[in-house]
Amino acid sequence: MKKQLTISLACILSCVLNAQEYHQTVRGSVIDKESHAPVPFATITLTGTAINKGVISDENGYFRFEKVPVGRVSLRISSVGYESMNINNLDVIMGKEMVVYAELVESTIQIDEVTIRLSDRKEKTLNTFAAISARTFAVEESQRYAGSGNDVSRMAMNLAGVKMLAETTNEIIIRGNSPFGLVFRLDGADIPNPSHFGDGSTTGGPVSMLNNNVLSNSDFLTGAFPAEYANAISGIFDLHMRNGNNEKHEFLVQAGLISYEFGAEGPISAKTGSSYLVNYRYSSLKALSRLGFNVMGSATPDYQDLSFKLNFPGRKYGTISLFGLGGISRIKMLESTRDTTESRQQMPYESDYEMDLENSNCSGTIGLSHSFTIGTTAYTKLILSASTIRNFNSWDSLSTENRQPTLQYYSDFQRTRLMARFYLNKKLSSKTTMRTGITIEKKFFSLLDSIYDGGIQQHRVLRNHDGADMLWQPYVQLRHRFNSRMQLNIGISSLFQTPNSNWSVEPRAGFSWEFLPGNTLNIGYGLHSMAAPIDLVNQKVLIDNHTYSTPNKALDFIKSHHFVAGYDKIFSGKTRIKAEIYYQYITSAAVEKDSGTYSVLNRRSYIIDNVGALVNNGTGYNYGIELTAEKFMNHGTYYLTTLSLYQSKYRGSDGILRNTAFNSHYVFNILGGKEFQLGMGKSNARFIKKLLIDVKINRAGGMRYTPVDLNASAEAGSTVCDLSNPFSEQLPAYFSIDLRAGMKFSGKRSTQEIAIDIRNLTNRRNPFDIRYDPETGKLKKLGFGMTPDILYRITF
C-alpha cells in the first residue's frame, strides 16, 4: 500500500501545470419545462462576479456570457408569462465551459408585462409529476460528499430513508425494502445492475459503473412514484447523462487508488451543434499489479467500464441521441494458493475461509432516443434500448486433507432486454399538463446453476432454462396547477406480463399545497407492482433422485401500497427542513407453498435462493418517519442532516410476523462541507486556489442475521444457520466518520484537484455478517476498517 501511495502521489505532483488567466464562458439555453419549446427573448442576469452582466436569449432560446471570472456565479432568468428562476452557486472553472439548460414554468396568472418572481426551488424535482418522496441531486454533491467515492449510489445513502447494506457493496436499502426493488433508469432506459462484481438479480456491488463525470442532475424517488414508473416497489434512480460541449473540445484525466480515468468531449459538427462525450475507467489496483506492485495478491479486482453519448440536435426532425454504458469485471480469491505457513488473508465476500471463489461479470446498455417538439405546447420522446448482463460464479471448498478444491456451487446467468418507450407530453393549458405513453420490454434469459447436496452426495440442479417473457406498461398522468402554490398529480399505470398473463392496474396520486410562502404540505398514494425474479420463477425442485419439476412458473406480481405525507419548510431558498411519514403494505410476496419462513422480501446479493415451490401468499409492511435539515450549496458551503426511524416486518407461509433482513430501526447522518478561497490578496498569483473540506458522521442500527447453529457448524466444518429463526439476531450498531480534503487549482487552461477521501476514519471494524471459523471453532464477525482513496483530477 505504501508503494501504491508513493506512485499515486508522484503522478499527482508531476501533473501540476502553470496558469495566468482566469476567465471562462458561461452559456446555455432556455426552454419551456412542459413543452420543451424554446423561450426567446428571456432575460438572463449573471451575478456573483466583480461585475453584473445581462443578456437576452435569441429566437432559439440560446444565451452566452464571455470572459466570466472563475469562481461561484449565479443566474437569474425571467421572461414574460413565466415564473422567474434563479440558478445559484455554479462553479465556473478553467478547462471546462459552463453550459446551463434552464427550464421555465409558465405562470398560472396571465399578466402580459409582469412575471411571478420565485427563488430557486432546489427541493423541486426534475420530474414535475413527482409530488412527494423525491429529491433532485447535483453531480457536485456526489463529488463532494465524504465517503461517497464519486459513486452516486453511495451519495444517495446520505438521504433520509436510505441505508447501506454493508461496506462491501453499494446496494441501497430504502425504507426497509430489499435492494432488488430498486430500478435504475439512464436517459429513459431501464438498465441492469450498474455495478462491478455485482449480482445480476439485485442492484449493487463494490464499485459502481455509473460515472458522475458524465452525469447531469438526476432524480431519486423513494415512494408513491408517478404513473410513468413501473416494475419497482422500493425506489427509482432516474439518471441523466449530460451532453458533451458542442463548441469546444475538453478533456479529463483522473487517477486514484480505485481507478484511472480518461474523458473527452467536444463538437462533432460546429454547424449542426452536435457533440460527443466519452469516458473510460480502469482498475488502478490491477494496473499496478501488471507493473509488479501486487498489493492484494490473487484477490486483485480487475474491472473497466466505458460510457458515451452522441447528441444530434435539430429543429426540423427533432433531437437524436445515442448513449451507452458498459463494463466488465473479474476477481479470484484463491485460498488453495495461500502459503499455509503465513497468516490467512481475510476475504469477507466468501461464506467460509476454506474456499476458492471466482466471479466475473459483464454488463452493457446501448440506447437511442429521439425527442421532437410539436409547436409550442407539446413534445414526444422515443427511447429504444438493448441491455445485457452476464454473471459467472464458482465456489470450491478445500479438502481438509490435501487442500484440493471441490466444486460446491456454479452459476452462469445471462439476461438480455430489448425495450421501446414512447410518450407524449402535452401542455393543455398554463395550468394543466398531460403525459401519456407506453413501455414494451422483451426479455431473454439463460439460467444455469447447480449446488452440491450433501444429502444425496451429488450436485443438484437449481436452474437450467432458456426462455423469454414480455412486459407491457401503458400509462397516463395529469398535472394540474390550481395556482402557483397548489398542484394535483394523478395517474394510472398498468402492467401486463406474458406468457403467464399477469395483470395489474395501479392508481397513483400526489397533492402539494404551499399554504404559506415556503411552507408546503404533500401527500401521496400509489399502488406499485413488480415481477418476481426470473431465477425464482424458473427454479427447479428435485422430486426424486432423477426427476425435477418447475413449480413457480405461475408466480404473480409482488404488490405494494405506498401512503406518504410530508411537510417542507424553505428558508430564503437556501435552507430546508423536511419531515415525512409513510406506511407501505406489501402483498402477494413469494413465500413457500408449505409452512416456512422464506420470503422474497429478504432478498439480497450473493445469497442463493434454494427453496421449493412458492406461492404469492406473503405479506409485509414498512412504516416510519424521516427528518431532514439541509442547507443547499451556497458559496461552497452546505450541510445535510437526516434521521430515519422505521420498522420493517414480513410474514412467511407459517404466518409468523418477523423482522425483515433490513430492519435496522434507525439511520442517522450528518455531513457538511466548506470551500475556502486561498490567496485572495495576491494580484499575480499563478493559481486561483481553493481548499475543500467535507465530513460525514453515520450511525445506524446493525443489520439483521440468522443465528448460527454452533454444534451443527462444528459437525459440518462450515457455517450452518438456524433457519427456523431467520433474522432474529442483530449485529452491533454501525458507526463511521468519513473525511474528504482537497485542493483545487484553477490556471490558465486547466483546473486541477487533489483530494484524499478516507472512509471510516477511526478504523472501527463494523461487522456486516457472522460466520463459523473452523480453525477456532468459534463464531467470527466479518467487517472492514478504514478505506482510503487518493484522487487527482485535471480538466483542460
Side-chain angles (χ1 to χ4, degrees), residues 15-316:
C15 293
V16 176
L17 303 176
N18 293 333
Q20 295 178 354
E21 298 179 2
Y22 317 107
H23 294 92
Q24 186 56 275
T25 298
V26 176
R27 59 186 178 87
S29 62
V30 185
I31 64 173
D32 185 295
K33 189 175 184 66
E34 304 298 345
S35 69
H36 285 193
V39 178
F41 314 121
T43 301
I44 302 97
T45 305
L46 184 146
T47 61
T49 63
I51 58 173
N52 293 340
K53 299 182 178 182
V55 296
I56 302 295
S57 64
D58 65 16
E59 64 273 12
N60 294 316
Y62 296 121
F63 66 89
R64 187 183 196 92
F65 294 95
E66 298 283 3
K67 294 186 177 181
V68 177
V70 169
R72 296 278 175 178
V73 302
S74 298
L75 294 176
R76 182 171 182 81
I77 305 168
S78 61
S79 182
V80 173
Y82 286 90
E83 297 179 356
S84 297
M85 69 178 298
N86 294 337
I87 304 177
N88 295 322
N89 290 286
L90 298 173
D91 191 11
V92 179
I93 63 175
M94 297 304 298
K96 187 172 186 59
E97 291 185 343
M98 175 62 67
V99 183
V100 178
Y101 298 96
E103 298 180 340
L104 295 185
V105 177
E106 188 175 358
S107 174
T108 58
I109 303 175
Q110 296 297 319
I111 303 177
D112 291 338
E113 299 298 333
V114 179
T115 59
I116 306 301
R117 300 187 177 275
L118 297 179
S119 299
D120 183 23
R121 302 304 299 270
K122 292 188 177 182
E123 80 281 9
K124 301 297 184 181
T125 56
L126 299 178
N127 190 330
T128 58
F129 291 94
I132 196 170
S133 295
R135 186 188 190 277
T136 293
F137 71 90
V139 173
E140 186 175 5
E141 292 176 313
S142 63
Q143 294 174 339
R144 286 286 302 270
Y145 283 4
S148 296
N150 294 324
D151 183 342
V152 293
S153 294
R154 294 188 184 275
M155 185 281 298
M157 294 173 189
N158 298 294
L159 305 180
V162 183
K163 184 184 185 300
M164 78 169 82
L165 181 62
E167 289 277 12
T168 56
T169 178
N170 58 13
E171 280 187 301
I172 298 175
I173 300 170
I174 299 175
R175 294 176 171 175
N177 284 284
S178 165
F180 94 97
L182 172 68
V183 166
F184 281 88
R185 179 175 290 185
L186 180 64
D187 275 2
D190 292 352
I191 62 175
N193 185 352
S195 295
H196 293 294
F197 315 106
D199 183 341
S201 300
T202 50
T203 56
V207 182
S208 177
M209 287 187 288
L210 294 168
N211 192 328
N212 59 9
N213 286 320
V214 300
L215 295 176
S216 66
N217 292 356
S218 303
D219 284 343
F220 184 71
L221 300 90
T222 58
F225 328 127
E228 64 190 88
Y229 301 110
N231 203 26
I233 62 172
S234 171
I236 304 290
F237 223 141
D238 195 353
L239 299 157
H240 301 278
M241 194 177 295
R242 65 182 178 86
N243 296 326
N245 192 323
N246 61 3
E247 294 185 3
K248 178 183 176 182
H249 295 281
E250 298 173 338
F251 303 93
L252 175 143
V253 177
Q254 184 170 303
L257 301 184
I258 303 299
S259 64
Y260 298 132
E261 184 172 336
F262 308 92
E265 61 183 286
I268 298 175
S269 169
K271 181 178 179 180
T272 63
S274 57
S275 64
Y276 71 90
L277 173 69
V278 62
N279 198 283
Y280 172 77
R281 291 190 298 186
Y282 188 76
S283 167
S284 57
L285 292 174
K286 188 62 178 181
L288 290 173
S289 71
R290 294 183 185 278
L291 296 175
F293 301 94
N294 202 346
V295 179
M296 302 184 65
S298 63
T300 301
D302 181 3
Y303 65 88
Q304 54 189 310
D305 55 64
L306 176 73
S307 52
F308 71 90
K309 185 175 184 179
L310 309 178
N311 188 58
F312 303 90
R315 292 295 178 192
K316 186 175 182 181

Side-chain angles (χ1 to χ4, degrees), residues 311-362:
N311 188 58
F312 303 90
R315 292 295 178 192
K316 186 175 182 181
Y317 300 107
T319 297
I320 297 175
S321 295
L322 179 68
F323 60 92
L325 169 69
I328 57 176
S329 58
R330 60 182 65 88
I331 192 170
K332 293 183 179 180
M333 300 180 184
L334 304 179
E335 176 67 11
S336 60
T337 64
R338 181 180 63 87
D339 185 345
T340 56
T341 63
E342 298 178 355
S343 61
R344 171 177 285 114
Q345 178 185 2
Q346 287 199 23
M347 297 185 289
Y349 295 104
E350 57 188 332
S351 58
D352 290 294
Y353 284 123
E354 296 296 335
M355 188 174 283
D356 283 356
L357 302 179
E358 182 177 354
N359 172 277
S360 64
N361 301 277
C362 61

Side-chain angles (χ1 to χ4, degrees), residues 4 91 206 223-224 249 261 382 389 404 449 462 522 550 623 691 748:
Q4 185 182 357
D91 191 11
H249 295 281
E261 184 172 336
L382 172 67
I389 183 169
Q404 291 300 307
D449 68 334
L462 295 179
N522 306 284
T550 312
Y623 66 85
L691 172 65
K748 181 178 180 180

